[in-house]
Amino acid sequence: MKQPTILDVAERAGVSKSLVSLVMREPERVSDTSREAVLQAAQELGYRPNAVARSLVQRRTRVIGVVLSDLHNPFFADVADGIEEAAVQRGYRAMLSSGFLAPKRERIAIETMLELRVDGLIMLGSMMKVAKIERMADALPITLLGRHTRSKALDSVGVDDSAGARQAVDHLVSLGHEKIVHIHAGTAAGAPRRRSGYEKAMRRHDLQPRLVKGAFTESGGAAAMREILDGGDIPTAVFAPNDFAALGAMETIDAAGLDIPADISLVGYDDLALAALPRISLTTIGQPRADLGRQAVRLVLECLDAGRTTARHIVIPPTLVVRSTTAPPRS
Amino acid sequence: MKQPTILDVAERAGVSKSLVSLVMREPERVSDTSREAVLQAAQELGYRPNAVARSLVQRRTRVIGVVLSDLHNPFFADVADGIEEAAVQRGYRAMLSSGFLAPKRERIAIETMLELRVDGLIMLGSMMKVAKIERMADALPITLLGRHTRSKALDSVGVDDSAGARQAVDHLVSLGHEKIVHIHAGTAAGAPRRRSGYEKAMRRHDLQPRLVKGAFTESGGAAAMREILDGGDIPTAVFAPNDFAALGAMETIDAAGLDIPADISLVGYDDLALAALPRISLTTIGQPRADLGRQAVRLVLECLDAGRTTARHIVIPPTLVVRSTTAPPRS
DNA sequence: CAGCTTCTCTGGAACGTTCCAAGCGTGCGT
DNA sequence: ACGCACGCTTGGAACGTTCCAGAGAAGCTG
């Protein structure tokens, strides 16, 4: 039951514990005979280095903590994948903690990560106040992902939501649309920029922005769409704040007996996998998700390995993905 | 930069390190004055217990490792959520590691977990040979999730796929169907039991089983469905091996100009979130996903805290979720 | 007031590594 | 033959906790 330690291996191989340690870390610096003896002894005993002890003495764990708000959201899953891949590739491991939709659970998750002494922290879709996060940042490098900030203490990597919104509007205008409504998601992460990007783009085309309050959820999108249809002046195109909301809007439009895209064109945001399903086939704004994760890891490791101390902020442009929910307006 | 230790706190509070340690663990056993002094000193210094050091001396980490094959699969995300919730509730943390579709990366992920000395391991959708896993099981308790085994050394918690398949068939038969084809997914995890459950249920109803080879993917389902339609003798109902395959089948049926459910009824398996989307609205077999995760944690903790040593195998029954892709056959 | 228990607190050992200074041969140049 | 550098190896200290035996003080009992 008890696992063998470096001392057991040393005894069996007839060398000192220090030499065993060296074999594990830099085998080339040890003579052939000693190396063989140690490796064989380790093999026979089923020795496995204890990363806990190593972390204690080295005062670092080579673990990057990832705190994310919701595993169900495929967006986060993709980003997490990018993080894990990049971390492993550079000799680190990623430790995920999920499932807080409550801010309180988020605090606990972060606190746990800090107690475990992760070397760096990546926060995904966090709702926490930047000032609060900054207060932790003297203990370790922290990168905010999918969120913008000008913080001097925190790194960030996000998508240019304003540009994404502009691409959506430009696409619809180029198809001939003029009455384009935006369902906005209030102050939720990323929503304000999508909204202002929409407004700016509309004005650049000399069109009147029209906003309806919704949310980042299916039901939020459905409710907003109902409000739009009930409002009388029905637009020829709707730009939803994300794919879930677009899905909700789609349901409402379907239920009203209207056709997409003939009666109403619809654009989402995120390019979730389900947006590509033939029965959905949603035109949307795609984000380089795995790349976001990789960039975040890069930022953290720059602080860790290269010793960077000034904050960096990376913004990645999104791309328009045209599918079947957009077409020129009728007549 | 350097984080304060228990010694710094002790000095500031004018007590011994042991007392500080005690305050952190069992505050009620310390006098009011000492406790206050220690807590205040800790607060002022921004002290945070070092879980690495604690793990070393206690020889346990209170971390449960979760190795899963694919974060993108919403099924795994739900299960992982259940795991995390149950773990936190009982004073443990869950550490997720994902993203191996290659067996080699799976080995590495597990090895890493073992080096980090996680207290228990839950393996989700693993492809590894049971014998190989068993060899690791003397170091810590391991639970196989979503996979059946009779192992004496490994726990497992799975869903009764055979019963699920029977429910699908019974449902279709009760609607009046007789020509029911099953798209099977070969030897992929869970597929054989779904298939044999289907065959047994068909025979119990004196119906002729009919199998077509597909896969657990959208494209696999689409291809199998094409084969069925091209085969001439078109069935009135199709039972897919999972929701993705059902989705593929659905696309093929749509493309052929046939109606679901009027021409062909369709049943999936898994009850993914997307199966509930109005445009999909797939009848399917639901699995208690979060519950699977919780049960797995319970099994691991039984070994850890209660000292159980004999393997246990839990089988949870699935439930039929009727939506709009099934109806009585035409005529 | 002696002897006990109870409460509170303490110092040292232990956990399994890494790191460092130093020891020991051995071979080489002079 | 001497000094020196080099390759290989070693023991002890350190990392930041928890655990344990036990020290004092205080309170209780008869």
Side-chain angles (χ1 to χ4, degrees):
Chain A
M1 202 66 204
K2 189 180 167 301
Q3 300 215 38
T5 74
I6 209 171
L7 284 164
D8 300 318
V9 177
E11 187 181 6
R12 178 164 201 132
V15 298
S16 73
K17 61 174 178 27
S18 303
L19 192 61
V20 177
S21 171
L22 198 58
V23 171
M24 295 299 152
R25 289 173 294 125
E26 299 167 73
E28 72 283 358
R29 282 187 43 194
V30 174
S31 70
D32 288 0
T33 45
S34 299
R35 184 168 0 97
E36 303 270 293
V38 167
L39 289 177
Q40 193 185 334
Q43 169 84 31
E44 286 167 6
L45 292 171
Y47 170 74
R48 213 183 317 270
N50 184 329
V52 175
R54 176 190 324 195
S55 298
L56 181 61
V57 53
Q58 294 195 145
R59 262 169 299 176
R60 64 175 190 167
T61 51
R62 292 205 151 258
V63 171
I64 294 178
V66 181
V67 174
L68 41 74
S69 51
D70 186 8
L71 258 186
H72 299 89
N73 189 328
F75 176 81
F76 291 140
D78 284 340
V79 175
D81 244 36
I83 291 176
E84 183 135 25
E85 181 209 311
V88 166
Q89 198 189 340
R90 308 184 55 166
Y92 282 75
R93 328 175 181 79
M95 173 166 180
L96 307 189
S97 180
S98 78
F100 62 86
L101 292 167
K104 194 173 177 182
R105 282 198 64 188
E106 177 173 3
R107 267 212 84 78
I108 294 174
I110 296 173
E111 201 62 40
T112 298
M113 291 280 185
L114 294 179
E115 288 190 9
L116 291 170
R117 296 295 193 268
V118 296
D119 289 346
L121 202 56
I122 295 175
M123 302 186 49
L124 236 112
S126 162
M127 313 283 271
M128 217 179 219
K129 285 216 191 76
V130 169
K132 231 176 195 167
I133 303 174
E134 278 178 334
R135 238 170 293 143
M136 304 185 292
D138 57 339
L140 80 180
I142 299 181
T143 294
L144 253 43
L145 207 154
R147 187 170 160 183
H148 296 267
T149 171
R150 282 191 185 73
S151 168
K152 289 278 176 201
L154 266 31
D155 292 341
S156 72
V157 28
V159 170
D160 190 344
D161 284 324
S162 180
R166 190 180 61 233
Q167 287 178 39
V169 171
D170 288 355
H171 168 60
L172 289 170
V173 169
S174 76
L175 287 172
H177 291 274
E178 297 188 339
K179 284 168 145 185
I180 305 170
V181 173
H182 176 47
I183 298 175
H184 73 95
T187 58
R193 278 168 193 269
R194 292 178 196 179
R195 171 182 166 167
S196 69
Y198 157 82
E199 290 174 324
K200 248 182 274 171
M202 287 294 278
R203 274 195 288 270
R204 220 168 20 83
H205 289 293
D206 286 322
L207 296 173
Q208 185 64 35
R210 189 173 142 205
L211 295 163
V212 174
K213 162 108 181 143
F216 272 158
T217 59
E218 215 178 318
S219 59
M225 195 65 220
R226 215 165 298 122
E227 193 185 325
I228 294 171
L229 294 183
D230 292 349
D233 185 21
I234 297 180
T236 61
V238 171
F239 171 40
N242 74 350
D243 285 354
F244 283 129
L247 230 44
M250 182 180 273
E251 287 157 23
T252 302
I253 298 171
D254 286 349
L258 294 174
D259 186 74
I260 301 173
D263 296 312
I264 299 183
S265 283
L266 185 61
V267 179
Y269 203 113
D270 279 350
D271 193 21
L272 302 183
L274 56 81
L277 297 175
R279 282 201 180 187
I280 308 285
S281 193
L282 179 69
T283 293
T284 186
I285 305 296
Q287 313 189 47
R289 296 190 280 268
D291 201 44
L292 280 170
R294 280 190 287 266
Q295 297 290 345
V297 170
R298 223 196 51 197
L299 286 182
V300 168
L301 295 193
E302 271 178 19
C303 298
L304 250 31
D305 296 340
R308 172 170 62 77
T309 54
T310 53
R312 285 193 55 191
H313 303 284
I314 293 184
V315 176
I316 301 179
T319 49
L320 175 72
V321 181
V322 179
R323 295 208 180 85
S324 350
T325 57
T326 47
R330 224 189 257 290
S331 96
Chain B
M1 203 66 205
K2 189 179 167 301
Q3 301 215 36
T5 76
I6 209 170
L7 284 164
D8 300 319
V9 177
E11 187 180 8
R12 178 163 202 136
V15 298
S16 74
K17 60 171 180 31
S18 305
L19 192 62
V20 177
S21 171
L22 198 59
V23 170
M24 295 300 152
R25 288 173 294 126
E26 299 168 72
E28 70 283 359
R29 281 185 43 194
V30 174
S31 71
D32 289 359
T33 45
S34 299
R35 182 164 6 95
E36 302 270 293
V38 168
L39 289 178
Q40 193 186 332
Q43 169 83 30
E44 286 167 6
L45 292 171
Y47 169 74
R48 213 184 318 269
N50 185 329
V52 175
R54 176 188 327 195
S55 298
L56 180 60
V57 54
Q58 293 193 144
R59 261 166 298 172
R60 63 174 189 169
T61 51
R62 293 204 150 258
V63 170
I64 295 178
V66 181
V67 174
L68 41 75
S69 50
D70 187 8
L71 259 186
H72 300 88
N73 189 328
F75 176 82
F76 290 142
D78 284 340
V79 175
D81 244 36
I83 291 175
E84 183 134 26
E85 181 209 310
V88 167
Q89 198 189 340
R90 306 184 57 167
Y92 283 75
R93 330 176 180 76
M95 174 167 179
L96 306 190
S97 181
S98 78
F100 61 87
L101 292 167
K104 194 174 177 182
R105 282 198 62 189
E106 177 172 5
R107 266 211 83 79
I108 295 174
I110 295 172
E111 201 62 40
T112 298
M113 291 280 185
L114 294 179
E115 288 190 8
L116 291 172
R117 294 297 194 268
V118 296
D119 289 346
L121 201 56
I122 296 175
M123 301 185 50
L124 237 115
S126 162
M127 313 284 271
M128 217 180 220
K129 284 218 192 73
V130 170
K132 231 177 195 168
I133 302 175
E134 277 177 334
R135 237 170 295 143
M136 304 186 292
D138 58 337
L140 80 179
I142 299 180
T143 294
L144 253 43
L145 207 154
R147 187 169 161 184
H148 296 266
T149 171
R150 282 190 185 72
S151 168
K152 289 276 176 204
L154 267 31
D155 293 339
S156 72
V157 26
V159 171
D160 190 343
D161 283 324
S162 179
R166 191 181 60 234
Q167 288 177 40
V169 172
D170 288 356
H171 168 60
L172 290 170
V173 169
S174 76
L175 287 172
H177 290 274
E178 297 188 339
K179 285 168 146 186
I180 305 169
V181 173
H182 176 48
I183 299 174
H184 73 93
T187 58
R193 279 168 192 268
R194 291 178 196 179
R195 171 183 166 167
S196 70
Y198 156 82
E199 290 174 324
K200 247 182 275 172
M202 288 295 278
R203 274 195 287 270
R204 217 165 25 81
H205 289 293
D206 287 322
L207 296 173
Q208 185 64 33
R210 189 174 143 207
L211 294 164
V212 173
K213 163 106 180 142
F216 272 158
T217 58
E218 216 178 316
S219 59
M225 195 65 221
R226 215 166 298 121
E227 192 185 326
I228 294 171
L229 294 182
D230 292 349
D233 186 18
I234 296 180
T236 62
V238 171
F239 171 40
N242 74 352
D243 285 353
F244 285 130
L247 229 46
M250 183 179 272
E251 287 157 22
T252 303
I253 298 171
D254 285 350
L258 295 174
D259 185 74
I260 301 173
D263 296 311
I264 298 182
S265 282
L266 185 61
V267 179
Y269 203 114
D270 280 350
D271 193 21
L272 301 183
L274 56 81
L277 297 175
R279 282 200 179 187
I280 308 286
S281 192
L282 179 69
T283 294
T284 185
I285 305 294
Q287 313 191 47
R289 296 189 280 269
D291 202 44
L292 281 170
R294 280 189 288 266
Q295 297 289 344
V297 171
R298 224 197 49 198
L299 287 182
V300 168
L301 294 194
E302 272 178 19
C303 300
L304 250 33
D305 296 340
R308 172 170 63 76
T309 54
T310 54
R312 286 192 55 190
H313 302 284
I314 293 184
V315 176
I316 300 180
T319 49
L320 176 72
V321 181
V322 179
R323 295 208 180 85
S324 348
T325 57
T326 48
R330 224 190 258 289
S331 98

